[in-house]
Amino acid sequence: MAWDAIILGAGAAGMMAAIEAGRRGRRVLVIDHAKAPGEKIRISGGGRCNFTNLGIAPDRFLSQNPRFALSALKRFTQWDFIARMDAAGIAWHEKTLGQLFCDGPATQVVAMLVRDMERAGVALWLDCAVGEVRREGTGFTVETARGPQRTKTVVVASGGKSIPKMGATGFGYLLAEQFGLPVVETRPALVPLTFAEQELAWMRPLAGVSVNARVTAGRTGFDEAVLFTHRGLSGPAILQVSSYWREGDPVVVDLVPGQDLAAGLRAAKAAQGKSALRTVLGRWLPERLARHLEEAAGVTGVMAELSGAALDRIAGGINAWRLVPVGSEGYRTAEVTLGGVDTRALDGRTMEAKGVPGLYFIGEVVDVTGWLGGYNFQWAWSSGWAAGQAL
């Protein structure tokens, strides 16, 4: 056969698998329809690539089987990837909550991976469309724009549906179903939430305001920044909770987490009765937001004029602002795809399809979705590494 492994997708997971298989002496071909490799790496983290997180743990990943990812994550850890960054001389720093970013441009990470593929003897075909993939004998034939290619194994590293302007498609899910593998329903994740006009009319004057808050959906909550936009709510806390939110359910926003605002307002009334509500709220909130909340509450007088019941009502709306999103901004702005190839159909150690020897699925196409903050890249490195050891 011409190839030992054909890897479909030159993203983080695909390049990682190619490097590992190439280093083990395998004849490896990576094919991607994009004109450049690692495009999601290039744009991630504001162009600085949030390449992993110091706090990798199983509870930071969503899946029908959250324990599936454990084997790969334990065998190729964040420390292993950090060591590769260090060996390549790529400087990095911890930003917040264990998130690691490059000091310089994310293209350094892409260049490192491409260089490692070249050194491992991996062939890379870019701007090359892939057609039918079919089982023939003990191997596979992959139809490509450069003609049919024979291979012993196929690794699907085609990613999810997020950010279609960069070429994302549902190709990997269709291929899984073609070979009889179940696919967990997919949906946009790590995505801004959208709201009905009534809520939007309230939010729009605050566009650009950011506040540290706690956002909860069901039993899961995140303490991070919330950003008001012209389209609704965004920011890390909203993106995180979007993976847990479902249509029709509320989200609850605490704009002053850890603060008993009712008690705080009552104390302020006693101590500074001549102050305006916005002045008191300004202790905890940005000025624009404090002023907006005062107007929304219809308060025109000073603190001394407000009843205890009024203060409790105002505090309740700030400590537990309950909203029902109408949807999300969708795959257009989603950072990742939730759902994917059902992990029950895959071997957690090798990423090989249990019922189709020689067929592997890695990275975002699998039903493993990490939190915001470098977790999804670590899953790409780890799952790619695991498959690369088995090819």
Side-chain angles (χ1 to χ4, degrees):
M1 292 188 186
W3 307 100
D4 291 314
I6 290 180
I7 298 175
L8 306 180
M15 289 193 283
M16 194 70 180
I19 291 164
E20 294 306 305
R23 286 176 175 174
R24 297 176 62 247
R26 305 300 187 259
R27 295 162 298 170
V28 182
L29 169 63
V30 178
I31 308 176
D32 202 303
H33 64 273
K35 291 181 170 59
E39 282 293 84
K40 284 188 81 171
I41 298 173
R42 180 181 63 81
I43 68 164
S44 72
R48 298 287 183 182
C49 187
N50 180 192
F51 59 88
T52 192
N53 195 292
L54 297 177
I56 299 298
D59 65 349
R60 312 271 167 109
F61 294 87
L62 291 81
S63 173
Q64 295 283 327
N65 175 14
R67 299 192 62 79
F68 174 83
L70 273 177
S71 175
L73 291 170
K74 284 183 175 179
R75 288 160 60 222
F76 187 86
T77 70
Q78 65 270 41
W79 308 110
D80 293 316
F81 194 78
I82 289 167
R84 297 197 181 194
M85 296 283 284
D86 291 343
I90 301 174
W92 52 270
H93 61 279
E94 181 182 353
K95 194 170 181 179
T96 182
L97 300 173
Q99 301 170 15
L100 302 190
F101 288 78
C102 299
D103 287 357
T107 48
Q108 295 174 100
V109 181
V110 180
M112 174 186 75
L113 295 167
V114 170
R115 185 171 61 248
D116 286 351
M117 284 197 298
E118 291 172 350
R119 290 173 177 170
V122 173
L124 175 60
W125 291 2
L126 296 170
D127 200 15
C128 180
V130 172
E132 184 185 12
V133 177
R134 58 183 179 271
R135 167 73 95 178
E136 290 188 351
T138 57
F140 300 84
T141 295
V142 179
E143 295 292 342
T144 82
R146 299 193 191 185
Q149 301 296 314
R150 290 281 291 150
T151 180
K152 292 179 182 176
T153 59
V154 171
V155 181
V156 183
S158 54
K161 300 177 183 177
S162 57
I163 320 181
K165 70 179 181 182
M166 297 187 65
T169 69
F171 174 81
Y173 309 127
L174 296 175
L175 191 58
E177 290 173 339
Q178 172 195 324
F179 282 96
L181 276 67
V183 174
V184 176
E185 183 181 4
T186 58
R187 57 184 288 123
L190 300 183
V191 62
L193 298 175
T194 56
F195 299 87
E197 183 56 38
Q198 180 178 345
E199 285 89 0
L200 276 180
W202 193 92
M203 295 176 194
R204 282 195 190 104
L206 296 168
V209 171
S210 179
V211 61
N212 288 322
R214 179 169 182 79
V215 183
T216 304
R219 297 180 179 179
T220 305
F222 294 91
D223 293 283
E224 290 193 63
V226 170
L227 175 67
F228 290 87
T229 76
H230 290 290
R231 296 187 298 273
L233 294 177
S234 187
I238 295 294
L239 299 188
Q240 294 278 39
V241 92
S242 71
S243 297
Y244 295 85
W245 172 79
R246 293 296 179 270
E247 286 76 2
D249 292 343
V251 295
V252 178
V253 182
D254 183 351
L255 293 169
V256 286
Q259 177 70 41
D260 182 348
L261 193 59
L265 291 179
R266 286 172 180 268
K269 175 182 177 180
Q272 48 188 125
K274 294 182 179 180
S275 295
L277 175 62
R278 63 179 179 274
T279 303
V280 175
L281 291 177
R283 293 183 195 171
W284 304 289
L285 298 166
E287 181 187 356
R288 273 176 64 195
L289 179 54
R291 188 178 294 274
H292 194 68
L293 288 166
E294 180 187 64
E295 292 174 0
V299 175
T300 55
V302 294
M303 293 294 294
E305 298 173 2
L306 295 174
S307 68
L311 293 176
D312 290 346
R313 176 176 52 80
I314 292 165
I318 296 172
N319 270 145
W321 179 25
R322 189 177 184 277
L323 294 154
V324 180
V326 295
S328 76
E329 290 189 6
Y331 289 114
R332 181 181 64 82
T333 58
E335 296 202 13
V336 291
T337 305
L338 196 65
V341 178
D342 196 323
T343 58
R344 290 176 299 177
L346 304 177
D347 183 318
R349 188 168 179 82
T350 64
M351 305 294 132
E352 186 176 21
K354 292 177 180 177
V356 189
L359 181 63
Y360 298 74
F361 290 84
I362 58 176
E364 189 182 347
V365 74
V366 179
D367 175 34
V368 174
T369 305
W371 284 5
L372 184 72
Y375 296 94
N376 289 292
F377 273 129
Q378 187 58 48
W379 168 243
W381 313 135
S382 297
S383 60
W385 182 92
Q389 307 308 305
L391 297 174

